[in-house]
mmCIF file of all heavy atoms in Angstrom:
data_model
loop_
_atom_site.group_PDB
_atom_site.id
_atom_site.type_symbol
_atom_site.label_atom_id
_atom_site.label_comp_id
_atom_site.label_asym_id
_atom_site.label_seq_id
_atom_site.Cartn_x
_atom_site.Cartn_y
_atom_site.Cartn_z
ATOM 1 N N SER A 863 12.472 -2.203 3.904
ATOM 2 C CA SER A 863 12.834 -0.819 4.220
ATOM 3 C C SER A 863 12.180 -0.463 5.538
ATOM 4 O O SER A 863 11.138 -1.015 5.908
ATOM 5 C CB SER A 863 12.323 0.126 3.131
ATOM 6 O OG SER A 863 12.905 -0.182 1.888
ATOM 7 N N LYS A 864 12.761 0.507 6.236
ATOM 8 C CA LYS A 864 12.220 0.930 7.519
ATOM 9 C C LYS A 864 11.226 2.064 7.280
ATOM 10 O O LYS A 864 11.534 3.078 6.706
ATOM 11 C CB LYS A 864 13.350 1.399 8.433
ATOM 12 C CG LYS A 864 12.921 1.619 9.851
ATOM 13 C CD LYS A 864 14.085 1.267 10.766
ATOM 14 C CE LYS A 864 13.709 1.544 12.187
ATOM 15 N NZ LYS A 864 13.351 0.374 12.904
ATOM 16 N N CYS A 865 9.985 1.851 7.711
ATOM 17 C CA CYS A 865 8.939 2.864 7.667
ATOM 18 C C CYS A 865 8.458 3.031 9.103
ATOM 19 O O CYS A 865 7.774 2.148 9.628
ATOM 20 C CB CYS A 865 7.783 2.438 6.761
ATOM 21 S SG CYS A 865 8.177 2.429 4.999
ATOM 22 N N GLY A 866 8.813 4.130 9.736
ATOM 23 C CA GLY A 866 8.519 4.318 11.160
ATOM 24 C C GLY A 866 9.284 3.279 11.942
ATOM 25 O O GLY A 866 10.491 3.117 11.767
ATOM 26 N N ALA A 867 8.574 2.518 12.759
ATOM 27 C CA ALA A 867 9.220 1.488 13.561
ATOM 28 C C ALA A 867 9.174 0.117 12.892
ATOM 29 O O ALA A 867 9.711 -0.849 13.417
ATOM 30 C CB ALA A 867 8.545 1.410 14.936
ATOM 31 N N ALA A 868 8.524 0.009 11.739
ATOM 32 C CA ALA A 868 8.337 -1.295 11.098
ATOM 33 C C ALA A 868 9.258 -1.484 9.900
ATOM 34 O O ALA A 868 9.619 -0.537 9.204
ATOM 35 C CB ALA A 868 6.891 -1.432 10.643
ATOM 36 N N CYS A 869 9.621 -2.740 9.666
ATOM 37 C CA CYS A 869 10.354 -3.122 8.461
ATOM 38 C C CYS A 869 9.321 -3.668 7.474
ATOM 39 O O CYS A 869 8.536 -4.557 7.809
ATOM 40 C CB CYS A 869 11.388 -4.196 8.789
ATOM 41 S SG CYS A 869 12.768 -3.587 9.772
ATOM 42 N N VAL A 870 9.275 -3.098 6.271
ATOM 43 C CA VAL A 870 8.274 -3.484 5.278
ATOM 44 C C VAL A 870 8.922 -3.709 3.919
ATOM 45 O O VAL A 870 10.002 -3.207 3.645
ATOM 46 C CB VAL A 870 7.161 -2.414 5.152
ATOM 47 C CG1 VAL A 870 6.417 -2.239 6.454
ATOM 48 C CG2 VAL A 870 7.717 -1.097 4.673
ATOM 49 N N ASP A 871 8.234 -4.452 3.092
ATOM 50 C CA ASP A 871 8.658 -4.662 1.708
ATOM 51 C C ASP A 871 7.895 -3.643 0.863
ATOM 52 O O ASP A 871 6.691 -3.793 0.627
ATOM 53 C CB ASP A 871 8.344 -6.086 1.265
ATOM 54 C CG ASP A 871 8.850 -6.406 -0.139
ATOM 55 O OD1 ASP A 871 9.167 -5.467 -0.906
ATOM 56 O OD2 ASP A 871 8.916 -7.600 -0.476
ATOM 57 N N LEU A 872 8.551 -2.603 0.412
ATOM 58 C CA LEU A 872 7.907 -1.529 -0.355
ATOM 59 C C LEU A 872 7.352 -2.006 -1.699
ATOM 60 O O LEU A 872 6.556 -1.311 -2.328
ATOM 61 C CB LEU A 872 8.881 -0.369 -0.573
ATOM 62 C CG LEU A 872 9.351 0.364 0.686
ATOM 63 C CD1 LEU A 872 10.394 1.422 0.321
ATOM 64 C CD2 LEU A 872 8.177 0.995 1.406
ATOM 65 N N LYS A 873 7.756 -3.192 -2.138
ATOM 66 C CA LYS A 873 7.240 -3.736 -3.395
ATOM 67 C C LYS A 873 5.908 -4.453 -3.209
ATOM 68 O O LYS A 873 5.201 -4.698 -4.173
ATOM 69 C CB LYS A 873 8.251 -4.700 -4.011
ATOM 70 C CG LYS A 873 9.493 -4.011 -4.519
ATOM 71 C CD LYS A 873 10.430 -5.003 -5.158
ATOM 72 C CE LYS A 873 11.665 -4.279 -5.681
ATOM 73 N NZ LYS A 873 12.587 -5.197 -6.343
ATOM 74 N N LYS A 874 5.524 -4.803 -1.946
ATOM 75 C CA LYS A 874 4.318 -5.592 -1.703
ATOM 76 C C LYS A 874 3.375 -5.003 -0.667
ATOM 77 O O LYS A 874 2.210 -5.364 -0.633
ATOM 78 C CB LYS A 874 4.706 -6.998 -1.229
ATOM 79 C CG LYS A 874 5.454 -7.826 -2.229
ATOM 80 C CD LYS A 874 5.783 -9.189 -1.638
ATOM 81 C CE LYS A 874 6.598 -10.020 -2.598
ATOM 82 N NZ LYS A 874 6.966 -11.319 -1.997
ATOM 83 N N ASP A 875 3.829 -4.103 0.190
ATOM 84 C CA ASP A 875 3.026 -3.619 1.315
ATOM 85 C C ASP A 875 2.003 -2.577 0.851
ATOM 86 O O ASP A 875 2.372 -1.488 0.409
ATOM 87 C CB ASP A 875 3.941 -3.011 2.376
ATOM 88 C CG ASP A 875 3.207 -2.626 3.652
ATOM 89 O OD1 ASP A 875 1.976 -2.478 3.619
ATOM 90 O OD2 ASP A 875 3.884 -2.470 4.681
ATOM 91 N N PRO A 876 0.684 -2.879 0.929
ATOM 92 C CA PRO A 876 -0.330 -1.935 0.444
ATOM 93 C C PRO A 876 -0.470 -0.673 1.298
ATOM 94 O O PRO A 876 -1.126 0.280 0.876
ATOM 95 C CB PRO A 876 -1.623 -2.759 0.472
ATOM 96 C CG PRO A 876 -1.376 -3.846 1.450
ATOM 97 C CD PRO A 876 0.096 -4.121 1.425
ATOM 98 N N THR A 877 0.160 -0.624 2.465
ATOM 99 C CA THR A 877 0.130 0.595 3.280
ATOM 100 C C THR A 877 1.423 1.393 3.155
ATOM 101 O O THR A 877 1.519 2.494 3.680
ATOM 102 C CB THR A 877 -0.150 0.261 4.761
ATOM 103 O OG1 THR A 877 0.859 -0.627 5.230
ATOM 104 C CG2 THR A 877 -1.520 -0.375 4.917
ATOM 105 N N ASN A 878 2.382 0.844 2.465
ATOM 106 C CA ASN A 878 3.659 1.510 2.181
ATOM 107 C C ASN A 878 4.126 1.032 0.809
ATOM 108 O O ASN A 878 5.120 0.335 0.682
ATOM 109 C CB ASN A 878 4.701 1.157 3.254
ATOM 110 C CG ASN A 878 4.305 1.645 4.629
ATOM 111 O OD1 ASN A 878 4.354 2.837 4.907
ATOM 112 N ND2 ASN A 878 3.882 0.732 5.478
ATOM 113 N N CYS A 879 3.410 1.404 -0.220
ATOM 114 C CA CYS A 879 3.657 0.882 -1.564
ATOM 115 C C CYS A 879 4.578 1.809 -2.354
ATOM 116 O O CYS A 879 4.206 2.936 -2.696
ATOM 117 C CB CYS A 879 2.335 0.695 -2.301
ATOM 118 S SG CYS A 879 2.496 -0.182 -3.873
ATOM 119 N N GLY A 880 5.769 1.337 -2.610
ATOM 120 C CA GLY A 880 6.737 2.132 -3.362
ATOM 121 C C GLY A 880 7.551 3.054 -2.477
ATOM 122 O O GLY A 880 8.734 3.241 -2.688
ATOM 123 N N LYS A 881 6.899 3.646 -1.460
ATOM 124 C CA LYS A 881 7.575 4.481 -0.475
ATOM 125 C C LYS A 881 6.735 4.496 0.800
ATOM 126 O O LYS A 881 5.539 4.185 0.788
ATOM 127 C CB LYS A 881 7.822 5.893 -1.003
ATOM 128 C CG LYS A 881 6.587 6.704 -1.273
ATOM 129 C CD LYS A 881 6.945 8.088 -1.796
ATOM 130 C CE LYS A 881 5.668 8.904 -1.980
ATOM 131 N NZ LYS A 881 5.960 10.258 -2.358
ATOM 132 N N CYS A 882 7.334 4.835 1.877
ATOM 133 C CA CYS A 882 6.653 4.858 3.170
ATOM 134 C C CYS A 882 5.449 5.795 3.134
ATOM 135 O O CYS A 882 5.527 6.905 2.606
ATOM 136 C CB CYS A 882 7.617 5.302 4.274
ATOM 137 S SG CYS A 882 8.956 4.134 4.568
ATOM 138 N N GLY A 883 4.307 5.311 3.635
ATOM 139 C CA GLY A 883 3.104 6.131 3.745
ATOM 140 C C GLY A 883 2.191 6.120 2.537
ATOM 141 O O GLY A 883 1.085 6.654 2.600
ATOM 142 N N THR A 884 2.608 5.522 1.420
ATOM 143 C CA THR A 884 1.736 5.446 0.247
ATOM 144 C C THR A 884 0.780 4.278 0.443
ATOM 145 O O THR A 884 1.172 3.120 0.434
ATOM 146 C CB THR A 884 2.546 5.263 -1.052
ATOM 147 O OG1 THR A 884 3.400 6.382 -1.217
ATOM 148 C CG2 THR A 884 1.620 5.145 -2.255
ATOM 149 N N ILE A 885 -0.527 4.604 0.601
ATOM 150 C CA ILE A 885 -1.541 3.592 0.874
ATOM 151 C C ILE A 885 -2.340 3.340 -0.406
ATOM 152 O O ILE A 885 -2.911 4.261 -0.985
ATOM 153 C CB ILE A 885 -2.480 4.054 2.010
ATOM 154 C CG1 ILE A 885 -1.663 4.298 3.286
ATOM 155 C CG2 ILE A 885 -3.585 3.047 2.242
ATOM 156 C CD1 ILE A 885 -2.458 4.952 4.403
ATOM 157 N N CYS A 886 -2.377 2.086 -0.824
ATOM 158 C CA CYS A 886 -3.138 1.716 -2.023
ATOM 159 C C CYS A 886 -4.625 1.780 -1.721
ATOM 160 O O CYS A 886 -5.101 1.195 -0.762
ATOM 161 C CB CYS A 886 -2.768 0.310 -2.474
ATOM 162 S SG CYS A 886 -1.076 0.164 -3.062
ATOM 163 N N GLY A 887 -5.353 2.506 -2.555
ATOM 164 C CA GLY A 887 -6.797 2.589 -2.426
ATOM 165 C C GLY A 887 -7.271 3.488 -1.310
ATOM 166 O O GLY A 887 -8.441 3.500 -0.995
ATOM 167 N N ASP A 888 -6.397 4.267 -0.722
ATOM 168 C CA ASP A 888 -6.753 5.114 0.413
ATOM 169 C C ASP A 888 -7.912 6.051 0.097
ATOM 170 O O ASP A 888 -8.834 6.186 0.883
ATOM 171 C CB ASP A 888 -5.523 5.931 0.849
ATOM 172 C CG ASP A 888 -5.805 6.786 2.063
ATOM 173 O OD1 ASP A 888 -6.523 6.316 2.955
ATOM 174 O OD2 ASP A 888 -5.302 7.921 2.105
ATOM 175 N N ASP A 889 -7.927 6.654 -1.090
ATOM 176 C CA ASP A 889 -8.982 7.610 -1.419
ATOM 177 C C ASP A 889 -9.998 7.044 -2.416
ATOM 178 O O ASP A 889 -10.939 7.713 -2.787
ATOM 179 C CB ASP A 889 -8.385 8.901 -1.981
ATOM 180 C CG ASP A 889 -7.594 8.672 -3.253
ATOM 181 O OD1 ASP A 889 -7.319 7.506 -3.585
ATOM 182 O OD2 ASP A 889 -7.252 9.661 -3.910
ATOM 183 N N ALA A 890 -9.842 5.802 -2.816
ATOM 184 C CA ALA A 890 -10.708 5.253 -3.850
ATOM 185 C C ALA A 890 -11.950 4.556 -3.310
ATOM 186 O O ALA A 890 -12.941 4.448 -4.005
ATOM 187 C CB ALA A 890 -9.924 4.273 -4.721
ATOM 188 N N GLY A 891 -11.925 4.086 -2.092
ATOM 189 C CA GLY A 891 -13.085 3.378 -1.548
ATOM 190 C C GLY A 891 -13.298 2.050 -2.237
ATOM 191 O O GLY A 891 -12.365 1.424 -2.720
ATOM 192 N N ALA A 892 -14.546 1.604 -2.304
ATOM 193 C CA ALA A 892 -14.873 0.317 -2.914
ATOM 194 C C ALA A 892 -14.672 0.379 -4.428
ATOM 195 O O ALA A 892 -14.891 1.405 -5.053
ATOM 196 C CB ALA A 892 -16.310 -0.048 -2.598
ATOM 197 N N ILE A 893 -14.272 -0.724 -4.995
ATOM 198 C CA ILE A 893 -14.043 -0.805 -6.434
ATOM 199 C C ILE A 893 -15.273 -1.428 -7.082
ATOM 200 O O ILE A 893 -15.694 -2.524 -6.714
ATOM 201 C CB ILE A 893 -12.784 -1.639 -6.745
ATOM 202 C CG1 ILE A 893 -11.565 -0.963 -6.125
ATOM 203 C CG2 ILE A 893 -12.617 -1.821 -8.244
ATOM 204 C CD1 ILE A 893 -10.337 -1.820 -6.116
ATOM 205 N N LEU A 894 -15.860 -0.726 -8.036
ATOM 206 C CA LEU A 894 -17.023 -1.222 -8.755
ATOM 207 C C LEU A 894 -16.647 -2.513 -9.467
ATOM 208 O O LEU A 894 -15.649 -2.572 -10.160
ATOM 209 C CB LEU A 894 -17.489 -0.171 -9.768
ATOM 210 C CG LEU A 894 -18.770 -0.461 -10.519
ATOM 211 C CD1 LEU A 894 -19.949 -0.517 -9.550
ATOM 212 C CD2 LEU A 894 -19.021 0.598 -11.560
ATOM 213 N N GLY A 895 -17.440 -3.545 -9.285
ATOM 214 C CA GLY A 895 -17.174 -4.818 -9.945
ATOM 215 C C GLY A 895 -16.432 -5.804 -9.078
ATOM 216 O O GLY A 895 -16.096 -6.891 -9.515
ATOM 217 N N GLY A 896 -16.130 -5.427 -7.819
ATOM 218 C CA GLY A 896 -15.581 -6.386 -6.870
ATOM 219 C C GLY A 896 -14.076 -6.540 -6.823
ATOM 220 O O GLY A 896 -13.591 -7.519 -6.287
ATOM 221 N N GLY A 897 -13.301 -5.634 -7.351
ATOM 222 C CA GLY A 897 -11.853 -5.746 -7.304
ATOM 223 C C GLY A 897 -11.277 -5.322 -5.967
ATOM 224 O O GLY A 897 -11.983 -4.846 -5.086
ATOM 225 N N THR A 898 -9.971 -5.509 -5.826
ATOM 226 C CA THR A 898 -9.246 -5.107 -4.618
ATOM 227 C C THR A 898 -8.001 -4.337 -5.012
ATOM 228 O O THR A 898 -7.469 -4.504 -6.105
ATOM 229 C CB THR A 898 -8.830 -6.332 -3.775
ATOM 230 O OG1 THR A 898 -8.006 -7.186 -4.577
ATOM 231 C CG2 THR A 898 -10.031 -7.106 -3.272
ATOM 232 N N TRP A 899 -7.564 -3.478 -4.084
ATOM 233 C CA TRP A 899 -6.303 -2.767 -4.279
ATOM 234 C C TRP A 899 -5.172 -3.634 -3.760
ATOM 235 O O TRP A 899 -5.286 -4.237 -2.703
ATOM 236 C CB TRP A 899 -6.299 -1.444 -3.520
ATOM 237 C CG TRP A 899 -7.065 -0.358 -4.202
ATOM 238 C CD1 TRP A 899 -8.324 0.052 -3.916
ATOM 239 C CD2 TRP A 899 -6.608 0.451 -5.280
ATOM 240 N NE1 TRP A 899 -8.702 1.061 -4.752
ATOM 241 C CE2 TRP A 899 -7.658 1.341 -5.603
ATOM 242 C CE3 TRP A 899 -5.431 0.523 -6.012
ATOM 243 C CZ2 TRP A 899 -7.555 2.274 -6.615
ATOM 244 C CZ3 TRP A 899 -5.336 1.458 -7.015
ATOM 245 C CH2 TRP A 899 -6.387 2.321 -7.312
ATOM 246 N N GLU A 900 -4.056 -3.699 -4.501
ATOM 247 C CA GLU A 900 -2.871 -4.424 -4.069
ATOM 248 C C GLU A 900 -1.642 -3.621 -4.458
ATOM 249 O O GLU A 900 -1.697 -2.751 -5.315
ATOM 250 C CB GLU A 900 -2.814 -5.811 -4.709
ATOM 251 C CG GLU A 900 -3.903 -6.737 -4.221
ATOM 252 C CD GLU A 900 -3.764 -8.160 -4.735
ATOM 253 O OE1 GLU A 900 -2.704 -8.496 -5.313
ATOM 254 O OE2 GLU A 900 -4.713 -8.934 -4.555
#
């Protein structure tokens, strides 16, 4: 899908997850226990 000037996969892109501009972990910071946002 087109998000701004870039073509992204909304199913996998952590900065455009599900829809353009949805950033995974944007407000969560570090995850206790060593996990990652995907």
Side-chain angles (χ1 to χ4, degrees):
S863 299
K864 190 147 177 101
C865 290
C869 290
V870 298
D871 184 343
L872 296 176
K873 291 182 179 182
K874 296 180 183 178
D875 187 341
T877 58
N878 297 287
C879 189
K881 65 180 183 175
C882 294
T884 299
I885 300 171
C886 293
D888 183 38
D889 61 348
I893 298 168
L894 186 64
T898 59
W899 282 100
E900 292 186 11

